[in-house]
Coordinates of all heavy atoms in Angstrom, one line a residue:
M13 N 21.6 15.4 50.7 CA 22.9 14.8 51.2 C 24.1 15.4 50.4 O 24.0 15.6 49.3 CB 22.9 13.3 51.2 CG 21.9 12.6 52.1 SD 22.2 10.9 52.1 CE 20.7 10.4 52.9
S14 N 25.2 15.5 51.1 CA 26.4 16.0 50.4 C 27.2 14.8 49.9 O 27.1 13.7 50.4 CB 27.2 16.8 51.4 OG 27.6 16.0 52.5
E15 N 27.9 15.1 48.8 CA 28.7 14.1 48.2 C 29.9 13.8 49.1 O 30.6 14.7 49.6 CB 29.2 14.6 46.8 CG 28.1 14.7 45.8 CD 28.5 15.2 44.5 OE1 29.7 15.5 44.3 OE2 27.7 15.4 43.6
L16 N 30.2 12.5 49.3 CA 31.3 12.1 50.1 C 32.5 11.7 49.2 O 33.6 12.0 49.4 CB 30.9 10.9 51.0 CG 31.9 10.4 52.0 CD1 32.3 11.5 53.0 CD2 31.3 9.2 52.7
I17 N 32.1 10.9 48.1 CA 33.2 10.4 47.2 C 32.6 10.5 45.8 O 31.4 10.2 45.5 CB 33.5 8.9 47.4 CG1 34.1 8.7 48.8 CG2 34.4 8.4 46.3 CD1 34.3 7.3 49.2
T18 N 33.4 11.1 44.9 CA 33.0 11.2 43.5 C 34.1 10.7 42.6 O 35.3 11.1 42.7 CB 32.6 12.6 43.1 OG1 31.6 13.1 43.9 CG2 32.2 12.8 41.6
L19 N 33.8 9.8 41.7 CA 34.7 9.3 40.7 C 34.2 9.7 39.3 O 33.0 9.4 39.1 CB 34.9 7.8 40.7 CG 35.4 7.2 42.1 CD1 35.4 5.7 42.0 CD2 36.8 7.7 42.4
D20 N 35.0 10.2 38.4 CA 34.4 10.6 37.1 C 35.3 10.1 36.0 O 36.5 10.5 35.9 CB 34.3 12.1 37.1 CG 33.6 12.7 35.9 OD1 32.7 12.0 35.4 OD2 33.9 13.8 35.4
Q21 N 34.8 9.2 35.2 CA 35.5 8.7 34.1 C 36.8 8.0 34.4 O 37.9 8.4 33.8 CB 35.6 9.7 33.0 CG 34.3 10.2 32.5 CD 34.4 11.3 31.4 OE1 35.5 11.8 31.1 NE2 33.3 11.6 30.7
V22 N 36.8 7.1 35.3 CA 38.0 6.5 35.8 C 38.3 5.2 35.0 O 37.4 4.4 34.8 CB 37.9 6.1 37.3 CG1 39.1 5.3 37.8 CG2 37.8 7.4 38.1
S23 N 39.5 5.0 34.6 CA 39.9 3.8 33.9 C 41.2 3.3 34.6 O 42.1 4.1 34.9 CB 40.2 4.0 32.4 OG 39.0 4.4 31.7
V24 N 41.3 1.9 34.7 CA 42.5 1.4 35.4 C 42.9 0.1 34.7 O 42.1 -0.7 34.2 CB 42.1 1.0 36.9 CG1 43.3 0.3 37.6 CG2 41.7 2.2 37.7
E25 N 44.3 0.0 34.5 CA 44.8 -1.2 33.9 C 45.9 -1.8 34.8 O 46.6 -1.1 35.5 CB 45.5 -0.8 32.6 CG 44.6 -0.4 31.5 CD 45.3 -0.2 30.2 OE1 46.6 -0.5 30.1 OE2 44.7 0.4 29.2
F26 N 45.9 -3.2 34.8 CA 47.0 -3.9 35.5 C 47.6 -4.9 34.5 O 46.9 -5.7 33.9 CB 46.4 -4.7 36.7 CG 45.9 -3.9 37.8 CD1 44.6 -3.7 38.1 CD2 46.8 -3.2 38.7 CE1 44.1 -2.9 39.1 CE2 46.4 -2.4 39.7 CZ 45.0 -2.3 40.0
S27 N 48.9 -4.8 34.3 CA 49.6 -5.7 33.4 C 48.9 -5.7 32.0 O 48.7 -6.7 31.4 CB 49.7 -7.1 33.9 OG 50.3 -7.1 35.2
K28 N 48.6 -4.5 31.5 CA 48.0 -4.2 30.2 C 46.6 -4.9 30.1 O 46.1 -5.0 29.0 CB 49.0 -4.8 29.1 CG 50.3 -4.0 29.1 CD 51.1 -4.5 27.9 CE 52.4 -3.7 27.9 NZ 53.3 -4.1 26.8
R29 N 46.0 -5.2 31.2 CA 44.6 -5.7 31.2 C 43.7 -4.6 31.8 O 43.9 -4.3 33.0 CB 44.5 -7.0 31.9 CG 43.1 -7.5 32.0 CD 43.1 -8.8 32.8 NE 42.5 -9.8 31.9 CZ 42.4 -11.0 32.1 NH1 42.9 -11.5 33.2 NH2 41.9 -11.9 31.2
K30 N 42.7 -4.1 31.1 CA 41.8 -3.1 31.5 C 40.8 -3.7 32.5 O 40.1 -4.7 32.2 CB 41.1 -2.5 30.4 CG 40.4 -1.2 30.8 CD 39.9 -0.4 29.6 CE 41.0 0.4 29.1 NZ 40.6 1.4 28.1
V31 N 40.8 -3.2 33.8 CA 39.9 -3.8 34.8 C 38.8 -2.8 35.1 O 37.7 -3.2 35.6 CB 40.7 -4.1 36.1 CG1 41.6 -5.3 35.8 CG2 41.4 -3.0 36.6
L32 N 38.9 -1.5 34.8 CA 37.9 -0.5 34.9 C 38.0 0.3 33.6 O 39.0 0.7 33.2 CB 38.0 0.4 36.1 CG 37.9 -0.2 37.5 CD1 38.1 0.8 38.6 CD2 36.5 -0.8 37.7
D33 N 36.8 0.6 33.0 CA 36.8 1.4 31.8 C 35.7 2.5 31.9 O 34.5 2.2 31.8 CB 36.5 0.4 30.6 CG 36.7 1.2 29.3 OD1 37.3 2.2 29.2 OD2 36.1 0.6 28.3
N34 N 36.2 3.7 32.1 CA 35.3 4.9 32.1 C 34.2 4.8 33.1 O 33.0 5.0 32.8 CB 34.8 5.1 30.6 CG 34.3 6.5 30.4 OD1 34.7 7.4 31.1 ND2 33.3 6.6 29.5
I35 N 34.5 4.5 34.3 CA 33.6 4.4 35.4 C 33.3 5.7 36.1 O 34.3 6.4 36.4 CB 34.1 3.3 36.5 CG1 34.3 2.0 35.8 CG2 33.1 3.2 37.7 CD1 33.1 1.4 35.3
S36 N 32.1 6.0 36.3 CA 31.7 7.2 37.1 C 30.8 6.8 38.3 O 29.9 5.9 38.1 CB 31.0 8.3 36.2 OG 31.8 8.7 35.2
L37 N 31.0 7.4 39.4 CA 30.3 6.9 40.6 C 30.3 8.1 41.6 O 31.3 8.8 41.8 CB 31.0 5.7 41.3 CG 30.5 5.2 42.6 CD1 29.2 4.6 42.5 CD2 31.5 4.3 43.2
T38 N 29.1 8.3 42.2 CA 29.0 9.3 43.3 C 28.4 8.6 44.5 O 27.3 8.0 44.4 CB 28.1 10.5 42.9 OG1 28.8 11.1 41.7 CG2 28.0 11.5 44.0
I39 N 29.0 8.8 45.7 CA 28.5 8.2 46.9 C 28.2 9.4 47.9 O 29.1 10.2 48.1 CB 29.5 7.3 47.6 CG1 29.8 6.1 46.6 CG2 28.9 6.7 48.9 CD1 30.9 5.2 47.1
S40 N 27.0 9.5 48.3 CA 26.6 10.6 49.2 C 26.8 10.1 50.7 O 26.7 9.0 51.0 CB 25.2 11.0 49.0 OG 25.1 11.5 47.7
R41 N 27.0 11.1 51.6 CA 27.1 10.8 53.0 C 25.8 10.1 53.4 O 24.7 10.5 53.1 CB 27.2 12.1 53.8 CG 27.6 12.0 55.2 CD 27.9 13.3 55.9 NE 29.1 14.0 55.3 CZ 30.4 13.6 55.5 NH1 30.6 12.7 56.3 NH2 31.3 14.3 54.9
G42 N 26.0 9.0 54.2 CA 24.9 8.2 54.7 C 24.4 7.1 53.8 O 23.6 6.3 54.2
E43 N 24.9 7.0 52.6 CA 24.6 5.9 51.7 C 25.4 4.7 52.0 O 26.5 4.8 52.5 CB 24.8 6.3 50.2 CG 23.8 7.2 49.7 CD 24.0 7.5 48.2 OE1 25.2 7.5 47.7 OE2 23.0 7.6 47.5
I44 N 24.8 3.5 51.8 CA 25.5 2.3 51.9 C 25.7 1.7 50.6 O 24.8 1.6 49.8 CB 24.7 1.3 52.8 CG1 24.6 1.9 54.2 CG2 25.4 -0.1 52.9 CD1 23.7 1.1 55.1
L45 N 26.9 1.3 50.2 CA 27.3 0.7 48.9 C 27.9 -0.6 49.1 O 28.8 -0.8 49.9 CB 28.3 1.7 48.2 CG 28.8 1.2 46.9 CD1 27.7 1.3 45.8 CD2 30.0 2.1 46.4
T46 N 27.5 -1.6 48.3 CA 28.1 -2.9 48.2 C 28.6 -3.2 46.8 O 27.8 -3.0 45.9 CB 27.1 -4.0 48.6 OG1 26.6 -3.7 49.9 CG2 27.7 -5.3 48.6
L47 N 29.9 -3.6 46.7 CA 30.4 -3.9 45.4 C 30.6 -5.4 45.4 O 31.2 -6.0 46.2 CB 31.8 -3.3 45.2 CG 31.8 -1.7 45.1 CD1 33.2 -1.2 45.0 CD2 30.9 -1.2 44.0
I48 N 30.0 -6.0 44.3 CA 30.1 -7.5 44.2 C 30.8 -7.8 42.8 O 30.4 -7.2 41.8 CB 28.7 -8.1 44.2 CG1 28.0 -7.9 45.5 CG2 28.8 -9.6 43.9 CD1 26.6 -8.3 45.6
G49 N 31.8 -8.6 42.8 CA 32.5 -8.9 41.6 C 33.2 -10.2 41.7 O 33.2 -10.9 42.7
L50 N 33.8 -10.6 40.6 CA 34.5 -11.8 40.5 C 36.0 -11.5 40.7 O 36.6 -10.6 40.2 CB 34.4 -12.4 39.1 CG 35.1 -13.6 38.7 CD1 34.7 -14.8 39.6 CD2 35.0 -14.0 37.3
M51 N 36.6 -12.3 41.7 CA 38.0 -12.2 42.0 C 38.7 -13.4 41.3 O 38.4 -14.5 41.6 CB 38.3 -12.2 43.5 CG 39.7 -11.9 43.8 SD 39.8 -11.7 45.6 CE 40.9 -13.1 46.0
V52 N 39.6 -13.1 40.5 CA 40.4 -14.2 39.8 C 41.8 -14.2 40.2 O 42.5 -13.2 40.2 CB 40.3 -14.0 38.3 CG1 41.0 -15.1 37.5 CG2 38.8 -14.0 37.8
L53 N 42.3 -15.4 40.7 CA 43.7 -15.5 41.1 C 44.4 -16.3 40.0 O 43.9 -17.3 39.5 CB 43.8 -16.3 42.4 CG 43.1 -15.6 43.6 CD1 43.2 -16.5 44.8 CD2 43.7 -14.3 43.9
V54 N 45.5 -15.7 39.6 CA 46.3 -16.3 38.5 C 47.7 -16.7 39.0 O 48.4 -15.8 39.5 CB 46.3 -15.4 37.3 CG1 47.2 -16.0 36.2 CG2 44.9 -15.1 36.8
N55 N 48.1 -17.9 38.8 CA 49.5 -18.3 39.1 C 50.3 -18.1 37.8 O 50.0 -18.8 36.8 CB 49.6 -19.7 39.6 CG 49.7 -19.9 41.0 OD1 50.1 -18.9 41.7 ND2 49.4 -21.0 41.5
R56 N 51.3 -17.3 37.9 CA 52.2 -17.1 36.8 C 53.6 -17.5 37.2 O 54.1 -17.1 38.2 CB 52.2 -15.7 36.3 CG 50.9 -15.3 35.7 CD 51.0 -13.9 35.1 NE 49.6 -13.5 34.6 CZ 49.4 -12.4 34.0 NH1 50.4 -11.6 33.7 NH2 48.2 -12.1 33.6
P57 N 54.2 -18.3 36.3 CA 55.6 -18.8 36.7 C 56.6 -17.6 36.6 O 56.4 -16.7 36.0 CB 55.9 -19.8 35.6 CG 54.9 -19.8 34.6 CD 53.8 -18.9 35.2

């Protein structure tokens, strides 16, 4: 199968909080991917 999406060493920060750290991922055509995670809602004044 051919690669559809490739992420290599991705890091992401929001408001100085690291939410992804050095993530690599390859999704091939025809693959099914499910991401499960914790969603936190924060009320800030």
Side-chain angles (χ1 to χ4, degrees):
M13 290 186 191
S14 62
E15 294 177 357
L16 184 62
I17 298 173
T18 300
L19 302 176
D20 189 31
Q21 298 179 348
V22 175
S23 297
V24 177
E25 291 183 9
F26 292 106
S27 300
K28 297 184 181 179
R29 175 179 241 174
K30 193 169 279 195
V31 294
L32 294 177
D33 186 20
N34 199 25
I35 300 297
S36 295
L37 173 71
T38 300
I39 302 172
S40 297
R41 189 171 301 280
E43 286 186 324
I44 298 172
L45 175 72
T46 302
L47 298 176
I48 300 173
L50 178 63
M51 186 172 116
V52 179
L53 299 177
V54 177
N55 257 342
R56 293 188 182 183

